[in-house]
Amino acid sequence: MNSGRAVPELAEPYLRGVLATAGLDVEYVRSEKDTVYYLDGQGEEVAVLDVVGGYGSLLLGHNHPDINDYAVELLSSGVPVHAQFSKHPYANELADALNRILHRELDTEQRFYAIFTNSGAEAIEAAVKNAELDRQLRLADLTARIDTDIEAARAAVAAGAATLPEGHTDADALAEGVRSDNAARLAAGPLFLALEGGFHGKLVGSVQYTHNEVYRSPFSALAAQARFVPPNDAGALRAAVAAEDARLDTLTVVDGQVLRTAVPFPLFCALLVEPVQGEGGIHELTAEFAEQIRLVSQEIDCPVIVDEIQSGMGRTGAFLSSAQIGLEGDYYTLAKTLGGGVAKAGVMLVRENRYREAFEMVHSSTFAKDAFSCLVGNRVLEVLEADDGAVYRRAAERGERLRRMLELIVEDYPQVLREVRGRGLILGLEFADQSESGSEEIRERARSGFFGYHLAGYLLREHRIRVFPTASAMQTLRFEPSVYITDAEVDRLEQGLRELCRLLRDGDPKVFQF
C-alpha cells in the first residue's frame, strides 16, 4: 500500500494517456455477465454494458458463478500451482476431454498431444517451435539420404561404373559443390506462410506472423520471416510458394551417368491461419480457401497451425470455428475462454503424426499445466458441453440476433457504415471513412489513427457501453459479448450505435467533445 502518497504513472503511462484522450481511462471495480461497474464522483456504482468480452475471453461472461465457486473451492483446498516436474493427472484429463471434442468436430480418431501454456501467444510459439523441431528432424533425414546418394555416386565413379556429368572431372569436387550449395540454402532458415490481416500475438516469434507492420517491423530482425498472402486468394497462396526455391541437390546414377538432380525440402516451417480474423477486422475464411490450404500444405509438406484463440471454444456456434468451413490443422491453439475468465491458460494441440516427443524436454513453462488452471479448464469444458452443447447453440442464436440488429443499422446509415462481418459472437461493424466529414472535429479524429477508440469513448461516456475497435483495422468496432447477452442489452447497444451514426451523418462535432 502507498499510505496515501501520490503514485507516479509507471505502468504503461503512454497507453494510459492515449486512453485518456478518448475518455476511456476508467477504473472498473466489479463485473458480472456482460456488465462492468465503475464508481462515479459520489462513490456510486455506474453500470456499463461490456461487449468487448475480454477480447474474446469471456464467452461465459464476467465471473461465471459456477466457475468462480469452483475456483474458490480449489484455492481453499490448497490445490498446488507450483508442483512442476511431477505427475499431472488433471492436465491429462483436460487433454483427453479436448481430444474427445476434437474427434467429434473433425470426425477423426487421431490423437492430439497437448502442450499447456499461459496465453494464446505462448501457444502459438509452442506450435511453431514443435513445427520447427519436426522440420529439422525431417531435414536431417533428407540430408542423410542425400549424403548416402552422393557417396554412392562417388563410389560408382571410383569403381568405373559411372561417369561424371559433362564439364566435371573430379568426383570429390562435384560432391563438395553440391554440399556447399545445399548448406547455403539451408542456412537461410525457415519461412512461414501467414495471412494479411492475421494476428497471432506480439511475442518475439508470434509478432513475425502478425501482419500489422506497426507491431512487426521494429522486431523483424529477431525472427524467421513470413510470406503474407491475402485471405481467400488461392492464387496468391500458390504464387508465394512458387516464388521460393525449396529444393536441395543430390547426385544419382542413371544408366551409368552421374546426374545432379533437385529434390524438394521443407523450406516452409508452418502456415498460420485464423478461421475468423479477430484483430484484422473480423474477416472470415471461406470453405473454398480452406480446401486450397489443405491442398497446398500437403503438396509442400507444410503443417497448418489453426489459431482458434479468439474464434474457438464455442464463440461461432461450434467448438472449432475452423470445423465449420472444413479447415483442418496439424496444430490447434486455444486460450482465452479456456480460462473461464479467471485462469490464465492456453494450450497447443498437435496431431500425433507431427508430434516430436523430444519437444517435451526442450520446452517448458513455469506456470503452465498447473492444477488450478487445468481443473478450471475442465470445468469450462463441462459448461460448454452441458445439455448436448447448449452454449454452442445459444452462441449461434445470440450472434444471429446481434448481427440482424447491426445489419439494420447499416441499411439506415449507408453514409456512415460499410458492412457487418463475422459469425456467431465475434462480429465486426466497419465504419466508412470520415476524413472528409463536414465537421473539422470529426475530420481530425478520423485522421488521428485512433478513430475507433474515439468512437468507443463516445459510446462509453454517453451510453455506458464498452466497445473497442479491432487492433489492426481501426475503422471496425468489435462485438464479442457473452452467450448471456439479453435482448434488452442488444436493444441498448442498438440505441447507442444509432445515435452515434446520426451524429456522424449530421457532422455534429459534439460526438467527440467531452
Side-chain angles (χ1 to χ4, degrees):
M1 301 299 292
N2 62 33
S3 302
R5 72 178 180 87
V7 179
E9 286 289 339
L10 301 174
E12 301 183 2
Y14 175 74
L15 178 59
R16 164 71 183 273
V18 170
L19 293 174
T21 64
L24 294 169
D25 56 333
V26 175
E27 178 188 359
Y28 297 102
V29 297
R30 189 168 68 87
S31 59
E32 59 182 346
K33 290 189 176 179
D34 291 288
T35 303
V36 291
Y37 299 86
Y38 69 86
L39 301 180
D40 64 15
Q42 287 71 49
E44 298 295 324
E45 281 191 341
V46 177
V48 174
L49 172 61
D50 180 14
V51 290
V52 176
Y55 297 123
S57 299
L58 298 171
L59 181 68
L60 301 177
H62 289 276
N63 291 308
H64 188 283
D66 182 30
I67 295 171
N68 271 23
D69 289 347
Y70 185 54
V72 171
E73 177 187 330
L74 291 173
L75 293 174
S76 298
S77 71
V79 66
V81 173
H82 297 281
Q84 303 94 332
F85 226 67
S86 61
K87 187 176 180 179
H88 295 261
Y90 33 79
N92 198 58
E93 290 169 6
L94 178 54
D96 180 62
L98 288 166
N99 265 264
R100 291 197 303 272
I101 295 172
L102 264 62
H103 290 167
R104 178 192 71 215
E105 300 229 340
L106 300 175
D107 191 23
T108 183
E109 295 183 358
Q110 190 169 160
R111 290 178 176 177
F112 289 82
Y113 292 100
I115 298 293
F116 289 95
T117 68
N118 304 298
S119 68
E122 188 186 330
I124 290 290
E125 301 254 334
V128 168
K129 284 178 66 177
N130 187 88
E132 177 59 9
L133 178 60
D134 176 54
R135 191 186 79 94
Q136 288 292 341
L137 293 173
R138 284 183 287 138
L139 271 176
D141 290 341
L142 176 59
T143 54
R145 292 196 301 272
I146 289 174
D147 278 340
T148 299
D149 290 343
I150 290 174
E151 290 306 313
R154 290 175 62 185
V157 171
T163 59
L164 293 170
E166 184 177 350
H168 293 273
T169 59
D170 188 329
D172 290 342
L174 175 60
E176 181 59 30
V178 170
R179 288 193 173 105
S180 178
D181 290 346
N182 285 347
R185 291 173 187 166
L186 293 172
L191 295 178
F192 296 84
L193 290 164
L195 301 185
E196 293 179 3
F199 183 96
H200 302 287
K202 296 179 181 177
L203 300 182
V204 170
S206 58
V207 76
Q208 297 305 325
Y209 328 121
T210 291
H211 183 240
N212 190 326
E213 288 193 13
V214 173
Y215 304 141
R216 177 168 47 88
S217 293
F219 313 105
S220 60
L222 294 178
Q225 300 300 298
R227 301 293 184 260
F228 291 98
V229 299
N232 299 323
D233 189 336
L237 177 60
R238 290 190 172 277
V241 170
E244 307 297 336
D245 184 10
R247 298 173 300 168
L248 297 178
D249 286 348
T250 189
L251 298 179
T252 58
V253 178
V254 179
D255 297 330
Q257 177 73 46
V258 175
L259 300 177
R260 180 168 177 165
T261 57
V263 294
F265 82 99
L267 171 63
F268 290 98
C269 177
L271 191 166
L272 295 93
V273 293
E274 297 167 279
V276 182
Q277 291 186 337
E279 305 302 332
I282 319 296
H283 294 275
E284 296 183 75
L285 297 191
T286 64
E288 293 76 15
F289 190 60
E291 173 63 9
Q292 288 301 311
I293 287 174
R294 183 186 69 82
L295 292 172
V296 170
S297 65
Q298 288 181 352
E299 290 168 10
I300 63 173
D301 194 17
C302 174
V304 177
I305 299 174
V306 179
D307 182 341
E308 291 272 13
I309 293 163
Q310 191 161 171
S311 61
M313 297 199 69
R315 186 158 288 280
T316 63
F319 188 83
L320 295 175
S321 62
S322 52
Q324 294 173 308
I325 58 171
L327 174 63
E328 292 194 13
D330 300 281
Y331 298 83
Y332 291 87
T333 57
L334 302 169
K336 293 187 183 286
T337 293
L338 184 62
V342 296
K344 296 176 181 179
V347 66
M348 178 272 280
L349 297 162
V350 52
R351 287 183 186 270
E352 59 184 335
N353 64 324
R354 289 284 183 183
Y355 187 57
R356 297 290 188 167
E357 61 183 19
F359 186 72
E360 297 176 27
M361 304 307 295
V362 297
H363 178 87
S364 62
S365 177
T366 298
F367 288 94
K369 205 170 66 171
D370 67 285
F372 178 75
S373 62
C374 288
L375 289 168
V376 167
N378 267 306
R379 181 55 59 92
V380 168
L381 294 187
E382 290 174 5
V383 173
L384 294 179
E385 295 282 307
D387 299 323
D388 196 27
V391 166
Y392 307 137
R393 295 191 298 275
R394 183 171 177 87
E397 184 274 325
R398 290 287 80 191
E400 184 58 30
R401 169 73 172 85
L402 183 57
R403 186 186 184 100
R404 287 198 306 271
M405 179 272 286
L406 294 173
E407 288 175 338
L408 287 174
I409 302 178
V410 172
E411 290 179 12
D412 291 343
Y413 292 93
Q415 317 93 323
V416 176
L417 300 172
R418 290 191 60 188
E419 63 177 344
V420 180
R421 294 187 297 269
R423 193 186 331 148
L425 288 172
I426 177 169
L427 298 172
L429 178 64
E430 183 176 353
F431 281 71
D433 181 17
Q434 300 297 314
S435 61
E436 301 302 325
S437 170
S439 163
E440 181 180 357
E441 180 90 12
I442 295 175
R443 288 199 306 272
E444 288 181 358
R445 303 288 178 154
R447 297 169 182 173
S448 69
F450 294 97
F451 183 64
Y453 288 104
H454 291 296
L455 298 179
Y458 164 80
L459 289 169
L460 178 61
R461 292 189 308 273
E462 301 299 327
H463 298 277
R464 302 296 183 262
I465 294 170
R466 187 170 188 260
V467 62
F468 286 140
T470 57
S472 299
M474 201 59 65
Q475 300 288 115
T476 300
L477 293 184
R478 73 172 82 204
F479 303 93
E480 298 184 68
S482 81
V483 294
Y484 304 113
I485 190 169
T486 65
D487 283 340
E489 289 169 331
V490 174
D491 291 343
R492 178 179 165 190
L493 176 60
E494 178 179 11
Q495 181 181 355
L497 288 171
R498 284 186 175 278
E499 182 62 13
L500 170 61
C501 290
R502 184 189 68 78
L503 294 171
L504 290 174
R505 181 198 63 191
D506 296 346
D508 191 331
K510 76 176 184 181
V511 66
F512 295 132
Q513 294 174 351
F514 68 98

